[in-house]
Amino acid sequence: MQAYATLTATFARLGALGDASGILGWDTQTQMPDGASDTRGEQMAVLSVLAHEILTDPRNAERLEAAEAEAGLGEWERANLREMRRAYAHAAAVPGDLVAASSRATTRCEMVWREARRDSDFARLRPHLEEVLQLQRLVGEAKGAALGLEPYDALLDGYDPGMRRARIDPIFAELRAVLPDLVVAVRERQAAQAPPLPLPGPFPVAIQREIGLRLMRAVGFDFSRGRLDVSLHPFCGGATDDVRITTRYDEASATGALMGVLHETGHALYEQGRPAAWRHQPVGQARGMSLHESQSLLVEMQACRSAEFCTYLAPTLREAFGGEGPAWEAENLHRLYTRVEPGFIRVDADEVTYPAHILLRYRLETAMIAGDLAVADLPGAFNDGMKALLGLTVPDDRNGCLQDIHWPGGSFGYFPTYTLGALAAAQLFKAACAAHPGIRPALAEGDFSQLRGWLRENVHARASLMETDELLIAATGKPLGADDFLAHLRRRYLGAAA
């Protein structure tokens, strides 16, 4: 198996380069001084081009063919070859100069976005975003031509292998048809009840951080292989065995940062739970961003906004902040964490209205890649969409199209994976609880061991051994769909029977 062995050595090298880029990317978002952005852009571009050159070496095409003909390959090796072939096809389609130009442009645009978002100044971002969009169109066109896909599908495939608009559109159409009436019904039900009591602040950042660290340990984060930091936009990044997650704090609120920490910890558990023997091979990587988002949303939304977990969390918060009275009781905390109210900011949205944010961004980014929406018209289109979907009048671009880093970072094709992940999270959590009825009661004790063990076995340890729907069928008995998610919302927010 000489050809296969040569390929595994090549991809191990690529994995190390990817880890280096991951740490530099984390530093860019957390600690790098603004004046270093151009130099950092060059550093990232050099690493991107180097990785691209290694991957697209013409000899790799020959090695792939030879390895695919070799005898004696096991299930994991064959799956690894499949993922090697996918990675090679994506990389070989894009010229090296386009890779370098895109890396420089996104690094520069991300830095400008920080200032533009702070000042609500879309005009400052516009030329940089136009450059990023043009380059992403070229990438999508190049990959699409090589893979036989439309440009947007080619970009989407880079984040969620095998996913296509033809698969997404019917699911999103179902959500678009059902969710408006569901939001109305939930809000009417909550309006008929006494409103939850707000937790009285302030909430010092140092205490919020300590609680976050405690919750990370409870969920199962391994601090010998990761850390928690602060960034403008929460994320999970870093490198193999060095998982970096971030959150952002607000001393006026005790809820946002903690749920942000739990969300990113779900991502981190996936990264820390990947099979050690395959971590520097394509088959050892996470199985696309829809499944990755399912892990963060399963921890945050399915588990940590449950009544059971609030039973554990309420005394923890009360003790840490010195709280007294009914506002700090578990029932009130659960009502706070499940309050449904349309808002401007996607990352702060409740799980009932959250899909509307994704439906909007999905429509806008597909239009931008297709050339049907100019960057100059993005603020107006975004504001019109928020009005139509959530009935909100966006006051400024900071609360509108400038709130997310994804487009400045070139991540066109990423947004739909958030809601696809929410659907998968509902399926997986339902299956886990059916397999282990003690999962929910254990959450009331802050015990995630049964849930974590089931996820390790059925998701994390499988990495990219299977395609997404194949993994979901193995774990839950059916492919990705909206039924379990909608049933979960009706059960939690309308008291519908399971």
Side-chain angles (χ1 to χ4, degrees):
M1 295 190 289
Q2 182 177 355
Y4 178 76
T6 301
L7 285 169
T8 59
T10 297
F11 276 88
R13 227 181 134 202
L14 288 167
L17 286 173
D19 284 347
S21 294
I23 295 299
L24 283 177
W26 165 84
D27 181 75
T28 299
Q29 298 300 323
T30 57
Q31 299 191 48
M32 186 191 76
D34 291 349
S37 60
D38 288 343
T39 302
R40 178 58 49 82
E42 286 301 315
Q43 295 164 353
M44 298 291 283
V46 167
L47 287 174
S48 295
V49 171
L50 179 57
H52 185 265
E53 289 174 348
I54 293 171
L55 182 52
T56 58
D57 183 335
R59 292 174 295 180
N60 286 333
E62 301 169 3
R63 291 164 182 155
L64 283 166
E65 290 187 10
E68 288 163 350
E70 289 175 343
L73 296 177
E75 180 186 24
W76 280 88
E77 286 84 1
R78 291 193 300 273
N80 200 27
L81 273 176
R82 181 197 69 216
E83 296 306 307
M84 288 175 174
R85 172 71 72 179
R86 192 196 306 274
Y88 178 80
H90 270 271
V94 185
D97 58 351
L98 180 53
V99 172
S102 180
S103 179
R104 293 189 187 98
T106 54
T107 301
R108 184 164 53 246
C109 192
E110 286 178 354
M111 296 305 296
V112 174
W113 167 79
R114 292 185 186 184
E115 300 173 352
R117 180 182 182 277
R118 180 195 64 205
D119 299 335
S120 193
D121 185 359
F122 182 79
R124 188 183 309 175
L125 181 69
R126 174 182 164 182
H128 300 280
L129 184 55
E130 287 173 338
E131 180 186 16
V132 168
L133 173 59
Q134 178 58 26
L135 291 169
Q136 287 303 302
R137 280 181 184 151
L138 293 174
V139 169
E141 290 167 1
K143 289 186 175 184
L147 301 173
L149 300 173
E150 293 296 318
Y152 185 82
D153 276 348
L155 294 173
L156 177 63
D157 192 78
Y159 296 105
D160 205 351
M163 187 58 68
R164 304 289 182 263
R165 285 193 67 185
R167 182 87 166 85
I168 295 173
D169 288 348
I171 294 174
F172 279 13
E174 181 180 0
L175 295 177
R176 194 177 294 109
V178 171
L179 285 173
D181 288 344
L182 182 60
V183 171
V184 170
V186 172
R187 297 200 71 202
E188 287 178 348
R189 185 173 192 258
Q190 292 187 344
Q193 304 167 344
L197 301 171
L199 298 181
F203 307 96
V205 167
I207 297 178
Q208 290 191 56
R209 174 177 167 79
E210 284 304 311
I211 297 173
L213 294 172
R214 187 187 312 176
L215 296 180
M216 289 169 69
R217 292 187 186 96
V219 175
F221 187 90
D222 181 356
F223 280 95
S224 73
R225 298 188 292 135
R227 56 181 287 142
L228 171 67
D229 292 281
V230 177
S231 68
L232 183 61
H233 194 103
F235 69 91
C236 174
T240 304
D241 292 324
D242 187 3
V243 181
R244 313 289 181 92
I245 75 169
T246 70
T247 192
R248 58 188 179 197
Y249 297 102
D250 178 359
E251 292 205 341
S253 171
T255 57
L258 293 182
M259 283 298 161
V261 165
L262 289 165
H263 180 98
E264 301 305 335
T265 299
H267 281 303
L269 283 187
Y270 196 178
E271 289 299 311
Q272 293 183 336
R274 293 188 287 114
W278 299 97
R279 278 185 185 157
H280 280 108
Q281 294 298 312
V283 74
Q285 301 303 307
R287 172 73 276 162
M289 289 314 303
S290 288
L291 272 184
H292 226 312
E293 292 302 335
S294 80
Q295 299 308 285
S296 60
L297 292 169
L298 190 152
V299 169
E300 179 199 355
M301 294 294 185
Q302 297 288 327
C304 294
R305 291 182 190 263
S306 68
E308 292 85 355
F309 183 73
C310 287
T311 299
Y312 165 75
L313 183 59
T316 302
L317 295 181
R318 185 168 59 244
E319 178 184 354
F321 293 112
E324 296 180 354
W328 298 90
E329 296 299 325
E331 190 273 340
N332 186 67
L333 185 63
H334 181 243
R335 292 175 64 201
L336 282 172
Y337 273 132
T338 55
R339 191 71 176 169
V340 173
E341 185 174 0
F344 300 113
I345 305 302
R346 175 186 62 84
V347 297
D348 295 334
D350 59 81
E351 61 181 334
V352 182
T353 62
Y354 187 99
H357 292 264
I358 300 306
L359 294 175
L360 173 59
R361 286 157 176 78
Y362 175 66
R363 179 170 61 80
L364 295 178
E365 72 176 16
T366 54
M368 284 192 282
I369 292 297
D372 297 330
L373 176 64
V375 170
D377 298 326
L378 178 59
F382 188 99
N383 296 349
D384 290 345
M386 288 290 282
K387 184 69 173 179
L389 286 168
L390 290 174
L392 299 175
T393 300
V394 179
D396 52 45
D397 290 334
R398 185 177 187 277
N399 287 285
C401 66
L402 285 178
Q403 66 182 270
D404 295 304
I405 197 174
H406 300 65
W407 293 331
S411 296
F412 289 83
Y414 193 126
F415 272 124
T417 67
Y418 286 115
T419 287
L420 297 176
L423 308 185
Q427 283 186 216
L428 290 166
F429 191 67
K430 178 183 177 182
C433 292
H436 298 285
I439 284 177
R440 286 185 179 275
L443 293 177
E445 305 297 325
D447 180 0
F448 284 76
S449 58
Q450 293 183 64
L451 177 59
R452 185 172 63 250
W454 189 90
L455 292 173
R456 284 278 190 263
E457 178 182 354
N458 290 278
V459 180
H460 306 166
R462 286 174 172 166
S464 285
L465 177 65
M466 304 173 177
E467 301 283 4
T468 301
D469 268 341
E470 186 183 0
L471 186 150
L472 285 172
I473 291 170
T476 73
K478 58 186 177 182
L480 183 66
D483 291 351
D484 287 337
F485 175 70
L486 292 173
H488 157 72
L489 295 184
R490 293 185 179 108
R491 182 169 55 251
R492 174 174 284 179
Y493 294 94
L494 296 177

